[in-house]
Amino acid sequence: MNNFPIYDISNFNFNSVNNKLYINTFKNHLKEHSFIEKPHRHNFYVLVLFTHGTGVHEIDFDCYNISRGSLYTIQPGQIHNWKLSDDIDGYIVFYSQEIYNLYFGDKRIEEYSFYQSVRSQPELFFSEVELKEIELYFSLMKKETESAKVKQKDKILNLLDTINIEISRKQVVENDHKTSIYNHKIHQFKKLIDSNYKTEKSPSFYASKMSITLKHLNRICKTILNTTATELITERILLEAKRLLIDKNKSISQIANELNYENYSYFAKLFKKTNGNTPSEFRKNLN
């Protein structure tokens, strides 16, 4: 099995507003781009809302059951694929970090908690009442792509941000016991992990960067995610290890070195302790 392809928005030229923004119904999208059913990555953000049909959606080696009301938020670099029923439909939106962040200025897409790599939950389920409300925004976005009115991009991006706000609100309601201060610190911690996980594996390093004690960092992680700082760092490292193991042209020792584990044996033991099987077994089971 070779590396999975990494698609750019330009690969999806049907129904795109420009090369950094794409909106379509899921049924039409699938007709034009059936290759998306195979495992792949993107270098952009993806929103998918399902309104009809069923299936299974695999994201970074976790499986989710698709049904009416399922919504997925997919980050750049994540590996995903689908198994879909013939009557599948809904809406799909692609957009780049650049187009969002340039338009909104100080507000950045990566600040939304559902677009953070560590312990992010890519799936939400909307009840019939909730679905009716959020589907309207997707429908308006799709309608706007078919118009030639002035400020088309402005309206689409504002509708897109409204959807992200609604997703964020739903998450807050479902996690209202979590404090805003601790959530801010978790966001800061996740960003630091993403930037440094290959070279910095000590939780003390991150606590120092955040100007807090390691004890307080662990307290935050325990309160928000019921885990430790070390476990969060390890999860990010092993997620990348799984992604790298897809490429069979790379030896496992090369992958260990790329993740800055000079001791291959230690890397293999860590992988098995966390994942339940060895890197070799994981690679063998990928098919």
Side-chain angles (χ1 to χ4, degrees):
M1 184 186 295
N2 296 321
N3 260 335
F4 294 147
I6 302 175
Y7 295 127
D8 184 81
I9 295 178
S10 61
N11 295 122
F12 305 88
N13 53 14
F14 176 79
N15 226 45
S16 54
V17 178
N18 58 39
N19 63 356
K20 300 190 183 301
L21 186 62
Y22 170 97
I23 302 104
N24 208 344
T25 64
F26 198 88
K27 181 181 287 185
N28 286 339
H29 177 71
L30 200 57
K31 286 179 183 177
E32 298 290 326
H33 313 103
S34 60
F35 58 83
I36 68 163
E37 293 190 76
K38 297 178 180 179
H40 61 278
R41 306 177 192 234
H42 312 113
N43 62 4
F44 48 86
Y45 290 90
V46 182
L47 272 174
V48 186
L49 176 68
F50 287 104
T51 57
H52 295 89
T54 58
V56 176
H57 190 185
E58 185 175 358
I59 307 173
D60 275 339
F61 315 102
D62 290 324
C63 289
Y64 304 89
N65 291 321
I66 296 169
S67 61
R68 174 175 166 82
S70 295
L71 183 143
Y72 297 93
T73 55
I74 305 166
Q75 306 167 48
Q78 288 192 297
I79 298 169
H80 78 125
N81 61 280
W82 335 71
K83 292 181 180 179
L84 305 166
S85 63
D86 292 337
D87 61 339
I88 202 73
D89 204 1
Y91 296 90
I92 188 162
V93 180
F94 300 157
Y95 61 101
S96 70
Q97 181 184 56
E98 178 187 8
I99 195 171
Y100 185 97
N101 290 353
L102 284 176
Y103 185 81
F104 289 103
D106 291 338
K107 184 176 183 178
R108 309 186 70 79
I109 185 60
E110 61 268 25
E111 291 176 0
Y112 281 110
S113 61
F114 45 86
Y115 281 138
Q116 296 166 15
S117 62
V118 181
R119 288 287 179 105
S120 64
Q121 175 53 256
E123 180 191 52
L124 281 174
F125 181 77
F126 287 78
S127 67
E128 284 298 323
V129 173
E130 294 169 329
L131 178 60
K132 185 177 180 181
E133 293 177 359
I134 200 164
E135 185 181 357
L136 174 63
Y137 300 124
F138 282 93
S139 176
L140 288 170
M141 286 178 71
K142 177 65 171 64
K143 184 178 180 181
E144 192 64 26
T145 64
E146 298 163 355
S147 77
K149 295 180 180 178
V150 297
K151 294 187 176 295
Q152 179 199 50
K153 187 178 78 172
D154 299 68
K155 183 171 181 180
I156 289 172
L157 285 170
N158 279 286
L159 285 166
L160 171 62
D161 194 49
T162 300
I163 291 170
N164 285 332
I165 289 169
E166 291 301 315
I167 295 169
S168 184
R169 285 177 173 177
K170 183 171 175 63
Q171 284 193 329
V172 167
V173 168
E174 293 180 357
N175 300 281
D176 58 5
H177 63 285
K178 301 174 181 177
T179 69
S180 59
I181 295 174
Y182 276 19
N183 273 322
H184 173 73
K185 286 295 184 183
I186 282 290
H187 170 62
Q188 184 184 6
F189 184 30
K190 288 176 176 180
K191 286 182 69 176
L192 284 168
I193 292 173
D194 271 343
S195 301
N196 298 281
Y197 69 90
K198 286 187 178 181
T199 56
E200 300 292 344
K201 297 173 173 56
S202 168
S204 299
F205 166 84
Y206 297 96
S208 176
K209 283 286 187 181
M210 295 169 67
S211 301
I212 59 176
T213 65
L214 176 56
K215 183 177 180 181
H216 187 45
L217 177 57
N218 275 316
R219 183 185 302 119
I220 292 168
C221 293
K222 189 69 176 176
T223 301
I224 301 298
L225 299 172
N226 195 30
T227 190
T228 67
T230 298
E231 287 169 341
L232 274 185
I233 298 165
T234 301
E235 282 182 16
R236 182 63 184 90
I237 293 166
L238 294 185
L239 171 57
E240 194 63 25
K242 290 177 182 178
R243 291 171 174 173
L244 292 170
L245 282 164
I246 291 166
D247 182 4
K248 291 192 175 181
N249 292 318
K250 286 186 177 181
S251 70
I252 295 172
S253 60
Q254 284 177 317
I255 292 170
N257 287 333
E258 188 171 333
L259 295 172
N260 274 286
Y261 286 100
E262 294 180 4
N263 187 329
Y264 165 77
S265 178
Y266 176 78
F267 167 72
K269 287 178 181 177
L270 178 67
F271 190 98
K272 183 172 184 178
K273 180 181 178 182
T274 307
N275 200 61
N277 54 12
T278 66
S280 297
E281 290 168 341
F282 177 82
R283 172 174 274 176
K284 184 178 179 181
N285 291 333
L286 278 174
N287 288 327

